[in-house]
């Protein structure tokens, strides 16, 4: 497939992300020249120094028309808390910066409703009185089946009529708490004084995928089964986007074409860079950055060479287990150890004191300046926030090759087909029967 083009693509859109065993949730993709950004919504404090909220407390009084002016979805029957799904136009101005579509309701007037069913939460709110204090937390990865709006413009219509029924996948309006005989004690401006904190819903980086030498696929790993309207992108350092589900086949095709265009423009050795007319060619890049160009006769030969390099990489990483490189952080000499078992460890070269350590699975993105600096983006396991660590190396190529090799070996460890071939080769070797790998070169 030839993706050569004279221009680069930029694109932004909403998709679903399947991350592990979680329910798919909405994310925003932003494609730039050299990176694919996957973003999720979160709520951050914008009063003073920005910080992300775990839980917030919001107090609402019922209005004369429209009651609490909220609608909710979800519940324990779907293994999630009840969430705010709509806010009435009347309440939207008053609640701006305080309550958001997508906020999970954790407590109502001190009553824990985290594990309550939808109808149970509706009943608690109906009996909450004239004023209700909600403890909420923004549900960043709300399941797509809730069909929540991504902005605050989705409003419920205020009403003073109670339907008497509710459903966890339909909006249950909290104007059902409205009592006509109490309207003389209420005013339209019923919002209590704000404690001073203001919040804002923002798109925050969840994962950054460098496109240089990255690859993408619509196929399920190890099979010839293609995902419907879905794909995943894997960076050269092993960071994977997760399964990105598009809204339509046309949308998926556009994303794949745009990503392929940018990968092609960044990759030095694409189809237009072949040194001759031979079809089955590959290059090997040394630590110094020198490129060695090879060709073989058949597709099967090329596949054998690729498997041979994968096997050699795995065996070498398995043998050395760890590698340490000298680096510089803010003018101080440091060391970075890449350990097959534990991940990344940065320490002071003089005192050996460990500054930070992360597992391979915590690396969510990386980038380099092509000269000496690498920026790692790790996810804190407790706060789930991205932490950037920048280090400077004297031999950038060597460090990048090492990281790539260790990640490739990690992936091989999880590949049953690769492990099966390695076990067969080992058994053949121990029994005196030569394995195919011995004939690859």
């Amino acid at each position: 497939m030839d993706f050569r083009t004279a221009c680069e693509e930029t694109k932004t859109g909403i998709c679903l992300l399947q991350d592990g065993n979680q329910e798919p949730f909405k994310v925003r993709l932003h494609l730039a020249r050299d990176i694919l950004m996957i973003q999720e919504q979160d709520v951050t404090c914008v009063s003073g120094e920005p910080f992300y909220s775990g839980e917030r407390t919001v107090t609402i009084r019922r209005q004369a028309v429209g009651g609490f002016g909220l609608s909710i979805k979800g519940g324990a029957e779907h293994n999630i808390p009840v969430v705010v799904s709509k806010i009435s136009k009347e309440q939207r101005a008053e609640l701006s910066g305080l309550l958001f579509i997508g906020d999970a309701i954790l407590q109502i007037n001190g009553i824990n409703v985290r594990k309550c069913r939808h109808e149970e939460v509706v009943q608690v709110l109906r009996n909450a009185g004239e004023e209700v204090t909600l403890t909420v937390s923004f549900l960043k990865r709300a399941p797509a089946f809730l069909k929540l709006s991504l902005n605050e413009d989705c409003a419920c219509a205020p009403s003073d009529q109670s339907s008497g029924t509710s459903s966890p996948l339909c909006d249950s309006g909290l104007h059902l708490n409205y009592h006509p005989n109490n309207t003389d004690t209420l005013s339209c401006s019923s919002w209590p004084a704000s404690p001073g904190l203001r919040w804002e819903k923002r798109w925050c980086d969840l994962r950054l995928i460098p496109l240089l030498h990255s690859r993408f696929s619509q196929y399920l790993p190890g099979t010839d089964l293609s995902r419907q309207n879905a794909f995943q992108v894997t960076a050269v350092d092993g960071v994977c986007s997760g399964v990105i589900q598009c809204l339509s086949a046309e949308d998926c095709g556009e994303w794949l074409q745009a990503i392929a265009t940018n990968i092609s423009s960044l990759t030095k050795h694409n189809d237009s860079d072949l040194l001759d007319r031979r079809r089955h060619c590959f290059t090997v890049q040394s630590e110094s950055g020198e490129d060695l160009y090879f060709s073989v006769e058949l597709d099967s030969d090329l596949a054998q060479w690729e498997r041979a390099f994968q096997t050699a990489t795995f065996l070498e990483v398995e043998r050395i287990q760890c590698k340490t490189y000298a680096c510089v952080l803010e003018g101080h000499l440091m060391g970075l150890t890449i350990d097959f078992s534990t991940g990344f460890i940065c320490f002071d070269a003089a005192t050996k004191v460990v500054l930070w350590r992360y597992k391979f699975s915590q690396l969510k993105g990386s980038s380099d300046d092509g000269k000496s600096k690498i920026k790692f983006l790790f996810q804190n396991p407790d706060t789930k926030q991205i932490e950037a660590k920048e280090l400077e190396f004297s031999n950038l190529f060597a460090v990048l090759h090492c990281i790539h090799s260790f990640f490739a070996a990690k992936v091989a460890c999880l590949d049953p087909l690769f492990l099966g071939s390695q076990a067969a080769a080992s058994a053949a070797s121990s029994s005196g029967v030569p394995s195919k790998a011995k004939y690859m070169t």
Side-chain angles (χ1 to χ4, degrees), residues 42-45 51-59 95 97-104 106-107 133-139 197-201:
D42 201 355
V43 169
T44 180
C45 180
F51 65 91
Y52 291 92
S53 166
E55 297 182 4
R56 289 169 281 122
T57 299
V58 181
T59 301
L95 296 174
L98 298 167
L99 190 69
F100 301 89
I101 292 174
D103 274 340
L106 308 179
Q107 293 185 27
T133 298
L134 305 178
T135 300
V136 299
S137 179
F138 187 71
L139 190 63
L197 292 180
R198 274 291 188 268
W199 309 85
E200 186 176 284
K201 188 187 289 186

Side-chain angles (χ1 to χ4, degrees), residues 319-338:
R319 183 186 69 83
I320 66 173
Q321 286 296 308
C322 67
K323 185 80 172 177
T324 299
Y325 292 93
C327 57
V328 175
L329 174 64
E330 297 177 351
H332 299 286
L333 184 61
M334 302 289 173
L336 177 69
T337 295
I338 306 167

Side-chain angles (χ1 to χ4, degrees), residues 304 311 421-441:
Q304 280 187 319
T311 302
S421 66
Q422 285 301 105
S426 176
S429 176
S430 63
S431 64
V433 179
S435 66
K436 292 182 179 180
K438 293 183 179 180
Y439 295 103
M440 287 183 178
T441 57

Side-chain angles (χ1 to χ4, degrees), residues 311-374:
T311 302
T313 297
F314 176 81
L315 294 176
E316 180 62 14
V317 171
E318 191 179 49
R319 183 186 69 83
I320 66 173
Q321 286 296 308
C322 67
K323 185 80 172 177
T324 299
Y325 292 93
C327 57
V328 175
L329 174 64
E330 297 177 351
H332 299 286
L333 184 61
M334 302 289 173
L336 177 69
T337 295
I338 306 167
D339 188 284
F340 190 59
S341 300
T342 59
F344 298 87
I345 305 169
C346 182
F347 60 91
D348 187 288
T351 65
K352 308 302 180 184
V353 173
V354 174
L355 275 71
W356 48 260
R357 65 174 74 228
Y358 294 94
K359 297 178 181 179
F360 287 104
S361 60
Q362 291 176 256
L363 183 64
K364 300 303 179 183
S366 67
S367 60
D368 65 85
D369 62 359
K371 299 176 182 178
S372 61
K373 295 180 180 179
I374 303 177

Side-chain angles (χ1 to χ4, degrees), residues 130-336:
E130 304 300 326
E131 183 175 277
V132 61
T133 298
L134 305 178
T135 300
V136 299
S137 179
F138 187 71
L139 190 63
K140 293 191 292 184
R141 301 186 179 187
F145 61 72
L146 289 180
K147 299 180 180 180
L148 299 180
S149 172
L150 293 175
N151 54 55
E152 306 306 303
D153 295 331
C154 182
C156 58
S159 168
D160 56 1
Q161 300 297 319
S162 172
S163 65
T165 61
S166 62
S167 168
L169 296 184
C170 298
D171 297 295
S172 295
L174 303 188
H175 51 266
L176 303 179
N177 283 337
Y178 173 67
H179 299 288
N181 60 340
N182 289 334
T183 56
D184 58 337
T185 64
L186 301 176
S187 65
C188 290
S189 180
S190 59
W191 184 254
S194 167
L197 292 180
R198 274 291 188 268
W199 309 85
E200 186 176 284
K201 188 187 289 186
R202 293 180 177 178
W203 288 104
C204 307
D205 291 340
L206 171 64
R207 205 159 293 160
L208 304 177
I209 311 295
L211 295 179
L212 180 62
H213 297 305
S214 67
R215 64 186 187 277
F216 61 87
S217 176
Q218 284 191 274
Y219 289 91
L220 294 169
T223 76
D224 58 357
L225 300 177
S226 179
R227 298 184 177 95
Q228 185 176 8
N229 304 337
F231 62 92
Q232 61 183 9
V233 184
T234 305
V236 70
D237 58 9
V239 175
C240 182
S241 64
V243 179
I244 298 169
Q245 180 75 49
C246 298
L247 302 180
S248 66
E250 181 182 6
D251 192 32
C252 184
E254 290 177 356
W255 273 108
L256 289 174
Q257 182 62 59
I259 293 170
T261 295
N262 288 13
I263 292 175
S264 180
S265 68
L266 290 168
T267 304
K268 181 179 178 182
H269 299 290
N270 56 22
D271 292 342
S272 62
D273 295 320
L274 294 177
L275 301 183
D276 52 43
R277 294 179 178 271
R278 301 187 186 191
R279 293 176 55 199
H280 308 114
C281 304
F282 63 94
T283 60
V284 177
Q285 193 174 56
S286 67
E287 283 191 356
S288 64
E290 178 186 6
D291 293 316
L292 305 176
Y293 189 77
F294 299 89
S295 68
V296 292
E297 293 294 329
L298 304 173
D299 279 332
S300 58
D301 295 334
L302 191 61
Q304 280 187 319
W305 273 104
E306 182 177 7
R307 175 61 71 178
F309 277 115
Q310 291 174 345
T311 302
T313 297
F314 176 81
L315 294 176
E316 180 62 14
V317 171
E318 191 179 49
R319 183 186 69 83
I320 66 173
Q321 286 296 308
C322 67
K323 185 80 172 177
T324 299
Y325 292 93
C327 57
V328 175
L329 174 64
E330 297 177 351
H332 299 286
L333 184 61
M334 302 289 173
L336 177 69

